[in-house]
């Protein structure tokens, strides 16, 4: 037993474990919190994978009626849309129907959103077409388009499923709304420009090239417009006219709003039916000897599921498209999460991002068994489903029935559908993805920097590729986030007295009020002489830790008195980095002596080792400048882990206790001790405890505060009686007495700092109004 105690003692000496340890939160507390009730957590995790279990037992006829109407409506609209989107993906039309069927069927079992409809979407279809083009360009004739698309669905679905299972959905939060809107707008313009040639029947150039090239080539080939334009342009004008008419009639006859709504909804299906019949009338007797028709039509669409079975996943194919998988994965989950969050916010419920990732992951991996290509949330069909009065995710089952009927009963009629009509449907649906002027202006008003990211993302997508647009949006957003973390705001504070009726209270505001936040003409009073108050407005981490050090040290050197009189010091005895000037020495005598620094931690939620080291450096530098001890008070510490970190560095405890001191280096980059890497002038002063050295200074003996003056914030907030760490009479201190320099709020911290300064210094000096 004695040997064990000796080993423990030796180990504590090696790691310099403090003899009188202050009680702080420990790693055991964190482990206990994480490992609490593991069985219950496992059960909750498994049950959360199937949200349908939470509402299916309460399903009723009222819900069924709403789901039936919404499901049938979305299914009728989804059939022509899915075939149109397959055309964007350069796949046969039936693959769009496969994706639509699996999406609406599987999603309802895993969904946390009642409004979202899963299936083929325009941006994902465009991405698939570019991936197919990339693979065929590098390996011509090796793999067919459907196999490439199915492989993308399987791999991306598996990746997204893993992200959801591991509860990593918070990754989505790193991409802000303007970035999403930017590449969505650029992609929509790309899709519309690519569909215009099909609308006009133009041929002879690559419609999958960069947007600006497609626009230029389209203008060049306008003189070769074919008869397809009669079907395409007529259809597009009809779609916009019906929508305008329904909106106007709804305003005029609000009682008939429901009728006009459904008439507006079914305009796509009505258009396809009419133009298909017209195409049949015109083309049935005009087939050429080569089997072509005067206008381009859909032709054969296989009946039923012709490609069901185990997906063929070729390793060489995975290697060939590996570079394209990140952008496909980002689009797969980003568009879906953005849509589901939007509808949840509008309709008064919250979605679970992790579960939604699981839903689309399962949908795409199962979809490969049916030959489906990647599917995700559709904004247009989700909006339609929401407006149709959907009650639960079960509406997808009714939509799946409509797709099944189309696959097995309507495929002969699909033969005569003009592709120009499908282009009209695509243009009409995708044009709504372009950000409106009001939305763009709101980006500018809220955040000009994010507006620039939005605008640049649009131009990059138009003049390069959708892949470049997405990567730029993500990279620029992350860069802006890092800049905001690395260069946050900070302010030196003063006091104002706020009066309300007969009540008054002190508030702490920047010494120079910021215009646009508060009245800039207010006179802010500085704290007591020798007291500096600083508020940092971000977590205290390694990218920004030096900012606090520079701000505080520079402020102290400019507006407080230097402890040593350097006027008579010869140049050879001065530090190499302190040239000194006579005017500075004359001004030094009129400045106040630095007593205390109060740091407002109310905006700091995390602190790391580098941040702690920056605080230690700050304390050492200001004490070297003042040539005396300087109290560091901390207000409004938010986390026990922040308190633990500060205590580990020696902050918070009474300065009269010589066994507790702030270490010159908390986490040295080398294992050598400070006295071996510092020059002789500093290794004897800073490497050791600064308090015994300063105690021999006559000025320090007179002016060093007594232990009783360093009071806890509980003295100013709660009239408590302490009995150890227990509560006496229902009252107790708000913070632990073992750390008197940690305070509950900023008011208590400033009062403690000013009280200590008043004990030893009675003259009054004011600090300049500077931030």
């Amino acid at each position: 037993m004695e040997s064990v105690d000796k080993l423990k003692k030796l180990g504590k000496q090696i790691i310099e474990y403090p003899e009188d340890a202050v009680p702080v939160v420990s790693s055991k507390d964190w482990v206990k919190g994480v490992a609490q009730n593991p069985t219950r957590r496992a059960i909750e995790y498994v049950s959360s994978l199937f949200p349908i279990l939470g509402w299916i037992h309460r399903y009723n006829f009222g819900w069924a009626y709403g789901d039936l109407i919404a499901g049938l409506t979305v299914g009728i609209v989804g059939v022509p849309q899915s075939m149109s989107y397959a055309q964007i993906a350069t796949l046969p039309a039936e693959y769009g129907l496969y994706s639509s069927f699996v999406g609406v069927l599987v999603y309802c079992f895993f969904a946390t959103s009642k409004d979202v409809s899963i299936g083929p979407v325009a941006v994902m279809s465009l991405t698939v077409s570019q991936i197919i083009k990339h693979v065929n360009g590098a390996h011509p004739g090796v793999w067919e388009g459907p196999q490439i698309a199915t492989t993308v669905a399987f791999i991306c679905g598996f990746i997204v499923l893993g992200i959801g299972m591991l509860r990593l959905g918070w990754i989505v939060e790193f991409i802000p709304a303007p970035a999403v809107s930017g590449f969505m707008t650029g992609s929509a313009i790309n899709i519309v420009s690519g569909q215009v040639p099909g609308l006009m029947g133009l041929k002879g150039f690559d419609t999958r090239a960069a947007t600006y090239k497609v626009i230029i080539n389209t203008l060049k080939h306008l003189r070769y417009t074919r008869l397809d334009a009669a079907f395409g342009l007529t259809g597009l004008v009809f779609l916009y006219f019906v929508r305008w008419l329904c909106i106007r009639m709804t305003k005029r006859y609000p009682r008939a709003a429901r009728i006009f709504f459904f008439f507006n909804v079914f305009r796509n299906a009505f258009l396809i039916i009419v133009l298909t019949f017209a195409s049949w009338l015109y083309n049935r007797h005009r087939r050429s000897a080569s089997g072509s028709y005067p206008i381009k039509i859909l032709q054969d669409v296989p009946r039923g599921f012709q490609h069901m079975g185990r997906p063929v996943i070729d390793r060489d194919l995975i290697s060939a498209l590996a570079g394209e998988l990140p952008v496909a994965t980002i689009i797969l989950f980003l568009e879906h999460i953005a849509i589901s969050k939007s509808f949840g916010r509008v309709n008064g419920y919250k979605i679970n991002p992790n579960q939604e990732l699981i839903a689309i992951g399962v949908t795409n991996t199962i979809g490969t068994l049916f030959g489906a290509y990647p599917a995700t949330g559709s904004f247009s069909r989700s909006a339609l489903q929401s407006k149709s009065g959907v009650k639960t995710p079960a509406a997808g089952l009714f939509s799946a029935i409509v797709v099944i009927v189309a696959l097995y009963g309507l495929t002969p009629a699909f033969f005569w559908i003009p592709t120009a009509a499908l282009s009209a449907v695509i243009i009409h649906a995708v044009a709504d993805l372009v950000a409106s002027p009001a939305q763009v202006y709101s980006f500018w008003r809220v955040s000009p920097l994010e507006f620039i990211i939005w605008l640049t993302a649009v131009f990059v997508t138009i003049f390069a590729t959708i892949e470049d647009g997405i990567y730029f949006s993500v990279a620029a957003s992350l860069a802006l986030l890092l800049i905001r973390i690395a260069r946050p705001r900070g302010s030196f504070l003063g006091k104002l007295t706020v009066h309300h009726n007969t009540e008054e209270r002190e508030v702490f505001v920047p010494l120079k009020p910021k215009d646009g936040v508060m009245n800039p003409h207010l006179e802010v009073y500085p704290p007591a002489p020798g007291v500096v108050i600083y508020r940092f407005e971000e977590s205290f981490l390694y990218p920004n830790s030096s900012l606090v050090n520079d701000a505080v040290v520079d402020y102290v050197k400019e507006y407080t008195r230097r402890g040593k009189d350097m006027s008579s010091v010869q140049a050879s005895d001065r530090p190499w980095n302190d040239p000194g000037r006579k005017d500075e020495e004359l001004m030094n005598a009129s400045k106040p002596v630095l007593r205390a620094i109060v740091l407002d931690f109310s905006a700091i939620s995390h602190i790391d080792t580098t941040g702690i080291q920056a605080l230690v450096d700050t304390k050492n530098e200001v004490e070297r400048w003042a040539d005396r001890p300087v109290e560091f008070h901390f207000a409004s510490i938010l986390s026990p882990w922040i308190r633990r970190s500060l205590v580990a560095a020696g902050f918070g405890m009474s300065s009269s206790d010589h066994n507790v001191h702030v270490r010159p280096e908390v986490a040295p980059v080398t294992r050598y001790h400070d006295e071996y890497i510092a020059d002789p002038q500093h290794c004897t002063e800073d490497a050791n405890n600064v308090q015994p050295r300063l105690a021999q200074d006559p000025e320090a003996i007179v002016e060093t505060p007594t232990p009783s003056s360093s009071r806890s914030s509980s003295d100013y907030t709660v009239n408590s009686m302490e009995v150890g760490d227990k509560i006496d009479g229902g009252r107790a201190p708000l913070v632990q007495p073992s750390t008197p320099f940690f305070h509950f709020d900023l008011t208590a911290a400033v009062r403690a700092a000013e009280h200590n300064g008043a004990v030893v210094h009675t003259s009054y000096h004011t600090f300049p109004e500077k931030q």
Side-chain angles (χ1 to χ4, degrees):
M1 190 67 180
E2 293 181 359
S3 59
V4 174
D5 293 337
K6 290 181 179 179
L7 288 175
K8 288 183 178 180
K9 186 176 181 180
L10 178 61
K12 290 182 178 181
Q13 291 176 352
I14 293 175
I15 65 174
E16 299 183 7
Y17 189 85
E19 295 182 4
D20 300 326
V22 175
V24 294
V25 66
S26 66
S27 301
K28 292 182 180 179
D29 299 324
W30 180 82
V31 173
K32 287 179 181 179
V34 173
Q36 188 175 9
N37 296 326
T39 304
R40 180 175 60 83
R41 290 194 174 190
I43 295 174
E44 291 177 351
Y45 176 81
V46 174
S47 62
S48 68
L49 298 179
F50 302 94
I52 190 174
L53 299 178
W55 55 265
I56 192 62
H57 61 279
R58 296 181 287 114
Y59 202 75
N60 52 67
F61 287 106
W63 290 1
Y65 175 76
D67 290 344
L68 175 64
I69 299 299
L72 294 179
T73 303
V74 171
I76 294 171
V77 173
V79 168
Q81 270 197 0
S82 61
M83 292 189 294
S84 302
Y85 291 150
Q87 181 177 328
I88 297 177
T90 63
L91 296 172
E94 64 267 23
Y95 286 92
L97 295 173
Y98 300 158
S99 297
S100 180
F101 169 76
V102 178
V104 294
L105 178 66
V106 175
Y107 178 70
C108 71
F109 295 97
F110 300 91
T112 61
S113 172
K114 69 179 181 65
D115 299 296
V116 174
S117 177
I118 299 290
V121 296
V123 179
M124 193 72 230
S125 299
L126 177 62
T127 304
V128 170
S129 71
Q130 292 180 343
I131 293 175
I132 293 174
K133 178 182 177 182
H134 169 77
V135 174
N136 286 335
H139 307 276
V142 179
W143 300 285
E144 295 182 353
Q147 183 181 356
I148 297 172
T150 303
T151 302
V152 172
F154 181 82
I155 301 299
C156 293
F158 189 80
I159 293 173
V160 174
L161 177 62
I163 293 174
M165 295 286 287
L166 295 174
R167 297 295 190 259
L168 299 177
W170 50 267
I171 295 175
V172 182
E173 308 298 338
F174 282 95
I175 306 177
V180 178
S181 176
F183 77 77
M184 289 287 287
T185 297
S187 301
I189 296 173
N190 191 313
I191 294 168
V192 170
S193 66
Q195 291 303 309
V196 169
L199 187 79
M200 307 292 290
L202 303 178
K203 296 181 180 180
F205 59 93
D206 183 12
T207 59
R208 298 292 181 269
T211 305
Y212 76 98
K213 292 182 179 179
V214 175
I215 294 174
I216 292 173
N217 288 327
T218 299
L219 295 175
K220 287 182 178 179
H221 288 76
L222 277 180
R223 56 180 176 171
Y224 303 113
T225 300
R226 302 176 61 195
L227 186 60
D228 300 67
F231 290 83
L233 289 177
T234 302
L236 188 61
V237 171
F238 171 80
L239 291 174
Y240 277 105
F241 174 76
V242 171
R243 184 166 74 172
W244 171 82
L245 181 63
C246 289
I247 293 174
R248 184 167 183 176
M249 297 302 289
T250 300
K251 294 179 179 179
R252 178 173 295 185
Y253 304 104
R255 293 184 178 180
R258 192 73 172 170
I259 298 175
F260 291 119
F261 167 74
F262 281 106
F263 187 75
N264 188 26
V265 163
F266 293 127
R267 66 188 186 278
N268 284 332
F270 181 77
L271 173 70
I272 294 298
I273 292 172
V274 172
L275 291 184
T276 301
F277 183 69
S279 172
W280 174 74
L281 290 176
Y282 181 78
N283 289 306
R284 58 178 177 161
H285 300 306
R286 288 181 171 83
R287 182 177 181 179
S288 65
S290 62
S292 61
Y293 292 91
I295 64 172
K296 187 177 180 181
I297 58 177
L298 207 55
Q299 298 194 24
D300 292 321
V301 176
R303 182 173 180 268
F305 294 99
Q306 298 292 323
H307 307 284
M308 285 189 64
R310 183 176 63 86
V312 179
I313 308 299
D314 191 336
R315 292 184 178 180
D316 295 334
L317 176 57
I318 296 176
S319 300
L321 55 80
E324 308 296 321
L325 290 177
V327 65
T329 304
I330 292 173
I331 294 175
L332 194 66
F333 67 73
L334 189 60
E335 187 173 359
H336 175 80
I337 296 298
I339 291 172
S340 58
K341 278 189 173 183
S342 176
F343 282 98
R345 181 169 57 251
V346 170
N347 294 319
Y349 63 88
K350 284 190 175 182
I351 59 106
N352 183 340
N354 291 307
Q355 184 59 32
E356 289 298 314
L357 294 179
I358 292 174
I360 59 175
V362 172
T363 297
N364 282 277
T365 51
I366 293 179
T368 57
L369 300 175
F370 294 82
Y373 76 96
T376 187
S378 166
F379 181 82
S380 60
R381 293 194 298 275
S382 298
L384 176 60
Q385 183 161 287
S386 178
K387 292 179 181 179
S388 299
V390 65
K391 301 299 182 181
T392 71
L397 299 176
F398 300 105
S399 299
I401 293 175
V402 175
V403 179
I404 283 288
V405 171
L407 268 171
Y408 282 92
L410 300 178
T411 49
F414 293 161
F415 183 93
W416 301 102
I417 295 178
T419 56
L422 295 179
S423 295
V425 172
I426 293 172
I427 292 172
H428 182 66
V430 173
D432 291 334
L433 296 178
V434 178
S436 66
Q439 182 181 357
V440 175
Y441 180 58
S442 68
F443 290 153
W444 171 258
R445 291 193 65 189
V446 174
S447 176
L449 289 177
E450 290 185 308
F451 167 78
I452 294 174
I453 292 177
W454 177 90
L455 187 62
T456 310
V458 172
F459 278 104
V460 170
T461 305
I462 291 175
F463 289 97
T465 63
I466 183 176
E467 179 180 1
D468 295 333
I470 291 177
Y471 286 150
F472 170 81
S473 300
V474 174
S477 300
L478 292 178
L480 180 60
L481 176 64
L482 291 176
I483 291 173
R484 287 172 172 170
I485 293 175
R487 307 299 299 177
R489 293 182 296 268
S491 303
F492 291 95
L493 307 181
K495 297 179 184 180
L496 278 178
T497 302
V498 178
H499 299 272
H500 179 69
N501 296 330
T502 59
E503 298 179 358
E504 64 178 39
R505 59 189 176 92
E506 281 186 347
V507 295
F508 295 90
V509 298
L511 285 171
K512 185 178 180 181
K514 300 175 182 178
D515 192 10
V517 178
M518 57 184 295
N519 188 348
H521 303 293
L522 293 175
E523 182 178 359
V524 181
Y525 293 94
V531 176
V532 176
I533 311 173
Y534 185 75
R535 175 187 293 151
F536 194 57
E537 300 177 11
E538 182 57 77
S539 288
F540 204 176
L541 305 173
Y542 65 90
N544 58 39
S545 58
S546 62
L547 197 66
V548 176
N549 176 270
D550 294 340
V552 174
V553 172
D554 291 346
Y555 189 89
V556 165
K557 288 185 176 180
E558 187 171 359
Y559 298 112
T560 65
R561 184 188 306 173
R562 188 168 190 167
K564 290 182 178 180
D565 183 8
M566 303 295 290
S567 58
S568 59
V569 177
Q570 297 181 0
S572 59
D573 295 329
R574 284 181 174 272
W576 66 276
N577 58 346
D578 182 16
R581 297 197 307 267
K582 292 185 178 180
D583 56 341
E584 290 183 356
E585 301 301 336
L586 295 175
M587 293 175 60
N588 187 54
S590 62
K591 298 177 182 178
V593 176
L594 180 63
R595 307 292 177 182
I597 293 177
V598 180
L599 298 177
D600 183 1
F601 267 41
S602 60
I604 298 178
S605 58
H606 295 90
I607 192 168
D608 61 9
T609 304
T610 309
I612 290 293
Q613 184 61 56
L615 285 178
V616 172
D617 295 341
T618 302
K619 183 173 177 61
N620 291 335
E621 289 184 54
V622 299
E623 287 186 340
R624 187 179 298 123
W625 173 264
D627 198 36
R628 63 186 310 280
V630 176
E631 293 182 353
F632 270 63
H633 295 260
F634 297 85
S636 305
I637 296 176
L638 300 178
S639 166
W641 296 98
I642 296 179
R643 180 179 181 276
R644 169 191 167 108
S645 301
L646 293 172
V647 169
F651 289 106
M653 293 158 283
S654 174
S655 60
S656 63
D657 186 359
H658 299 320
N659 294 323
V660 179
H661 63 278
V662 175
R663 300 168 58 186
E665 197 162 8
V666 177
V669 294
T670 64
R671 61 175 298 175
Y672 297 103
H673 295 292
D674 301 313
E675 58 265 27
Y676 295 112
I677 63 174
D679 59 56
Q681 181 182 357
H682 291 91
C683 68
T684 58
E685 294 183 358
D686 295 305
N688 301 315
N689 184 3
V690 70
Q691 303 293 349
R693 175 183 64 83
L694 294 173
Q696 299 178 5
D697 188 345
E699 183 182 5
I701 293 176
V702 174
E703 297 187 350
T704 299
T706 60
S708 61
S709 66
S710 300
R711 293 186 286 179
S712 170
S713 62
S714 59
D715 294 327
Y716 300 95
T717 56
V718 177
N719 184 17
S720 60
M721 297 180 64
E722 180 188 353
V723 182
D725 292 330
K726 299 180 181 180
I727 297 176
D728 179 29
R731 297 176 297 178
L734 288 173
V735 296
Q736 296 184 11
S738 56
T739 51
F741 289 92
F742 293 160
H743 305 275
F744 178 74
D745 58 12
L746 185 57
T747 302
V750 174
R751 285 179 178 174
E754 291 182 341
H755 175 83
N756 296 345
V759 171
V760 296
H761 191 71
T762 57
S763 63
Y764 187 81
H765 299 275
T766 59
F767 280 39
E769 295 184 356
K770 177 179 178 179
Q771 297 193 59

